[in-house]
Amino acid sequence: MIEIKDLHKSYQMGSNSLHVLKGINFTVGEGELVAIMGSSGSGKSTLLNILGMLDELDDGEYNLDDVPIRGLNETKAAKYRNKFLGFVFQSFNLINYKSALENVALPLYYQKRKRKERQEKAMEYLEKVGLAEWATHLPSELSGGQKQRVAIARALAAEPKVLLADEPTGALDSKTSYEVMELIQGINDEGKTILVVTHEEDIAHMCKRIVHLKDGIIVEDKKIEQVRASKYV
Ligand code: ADP
Ligand code: MG
């Protein structure tokens, strides 16, 4: 599904260059649930943004579902991004003046689906995350955990092959974090490939594999016995 070979990324700041990713190699197969761990500044978000085609790599190879991603023009990149990838962020990134349902329906609008289909699909995914009754509510009327559920429904509504989550529980208390991880585990149980960036050990252990980044390289990459979040909620 995801193949990365000798990936490098630097940021230019004036005359200084910051080498953030220094030769990353890894592959992710269909149906995996991978935690990307590492301390703050280790390059986790940079890696996820490159995988998500939100940022470009400087050197190396990236194949997504056998499509070479490097050097695609913006039109093609946008097309693959829409087709392959769903995003979830720490800060939810919901649109404040749109209802939960409208937020979830938005990616379907960009996929040029018909209005009726957008409404139906959005409702289906709100139901899936347990928020059907909150469809008409604004984000400001929802708790943090509910907002993240809406964001997850929005990411799934476009039916991406891969779900990328950058610190999805970073703004939530422990109990709510475990509830969100329970949802993520359930989605993975159905076969979705998911990558979760986190710096929290307990969250990482709810995945099936931990990739440890340190100073821009992978220092450890191991399969683990998954801890089920349902034990804690
Ligand atoms: P993490 O998500 O692991 O905390 P990041 O990938 O966000 O780490 O950042 C890695 C390093 O790259 C940090 O030192 C950060 O300051 C730097 N960095 C990230 N994005 C940019 C950018 N757009 N411009 C310049 N430096 C950046
Ligand atoms: Mg980050």
Side-chain angles (χ1 to χ4, degrees):
M1 182 68 63
I2 288 173
E3 271 184 299
I4 287 275
K5 281 185 205 152
D6 205 22
L7 171 78
H8 287 262
K9 176 71 181 179
S10 299
Y11 288 114
Q12 226 57 48
M13 293 182 299
S15 55
N16 291 325
S17 172
L18 183 66
H19 199 176
V20 178
L21 299 177
K22 304 171 181 166
I24 303 281
N25 291 286
F26 88 129
T27 60
V28 178
E30 196 163 350
E32 285 203 59
L33 174 53
V34 185
I36 298 174
M37 285 265 309
S39 53
S40 179
S42 57
K44 305 181 298 294
S45 293
T46 301
L47 177 59
L48 204 76
N49 289 343
I50 290 172
L51 294 175
M53 302 172 68
L54 298 173
D55 202 350
E56 291 199 38
L57 54 104
D58 296 334
D59 207 1
E61 272 180 54
Y62 175 20
N63 296 310
L64 176 58
D65 207 31
D66 291 326
V67 177
I69 295 304
R70 192 174 175 192
L72 289 180
N73 66 38
E74 187 43 43
T75 317
K76 279 237 169 82
K79 190 183 122 191
Y80 286 123
R81 206 184 293 126
N82 276 326
K83 187 168 149 194
F84 286 138
L85 302 160
F87 296 92
V88 176
F89 301 97
Q90 174 173 356
S91 51
F92 323 125
N93 292 12
L94 298 176
I95 296 177
N96 290 325
Y97 58 86
K98 287 189 182 290
S99 70
L101 188 77
E102 289 166 334
N103 267 284
V104 177
L106 201 62
L108 301 168
Y109 178 84
Y110 293 116
Q111 287 186 339
K112 300 193 168 60
R113 311 277 193 106
K114 297 231 159 57
R115 186 182 158 78
K116 186 159 179 287
E117 193 193 344
R118 297 201 300 265
Q119 300 292 109
E120 283 171 5
K121 266 237 172 312
M123 201 58 204
E124 177 189 329
Y125 280 95
L126 268 185
E127 272 165 23
K128 197 176 168 68
V129 301
L131 289 177
E133 281 131 66
W134 295 83
T136 60
H137 287 255
L138 293 173
S140 60
E141 298 166 326
L142 305 177
S143 69
Q146 288 174 323
K147 283 183 211 172
Q148 197 58 298
R149 283 169 183 275
V150 173
I152 290 169
R154 177 182 58 183
L156 293 175
E159 290 169 354
K161 297 212 167 180
V162 181
L163 187 64
L164 302 172
D166 194 349
E167 309 259 11
T169 64
L172 306 174
D173 61 62
S174 297
K175 182 173 181 292
T176 312
S177 294
Y178 297 148
E179 287 166 4
V180 164
M181 284 310 293
E182 187 183 25
L183 177 61
I184 286 175
Q185 288 180 335
I187 295 160
N188 173 252
D189 291 342
E190 291 172 11
K192 189 74 75 193
T193 310
I194 307 178
L195 277 70
V196 179
V197 162
T198 182
H199 60 262
E200 293 164 303
E201 281 284 346
D202 52 346
I203 298 298
H205 279 89
M206 291 174 177
C207 299
K208 294 172 174 170
R209 172 181 167 193
I210 300 180
V211 172
H212 205 125
L213 266 187
K214 193 174 180 188
D215 301 327
I217 58 165
I218 293 177
V219 290
E220 189 175 37
D221 183 348
K222 59 176 183 194
K223 289 221 156 67
I224 56 162
E225 191 66 44
Q226 182 183 45
V227 175
R228 296 300 293 192
S230 54
K231 284 208 290 194
Y232 299 97
V233 300

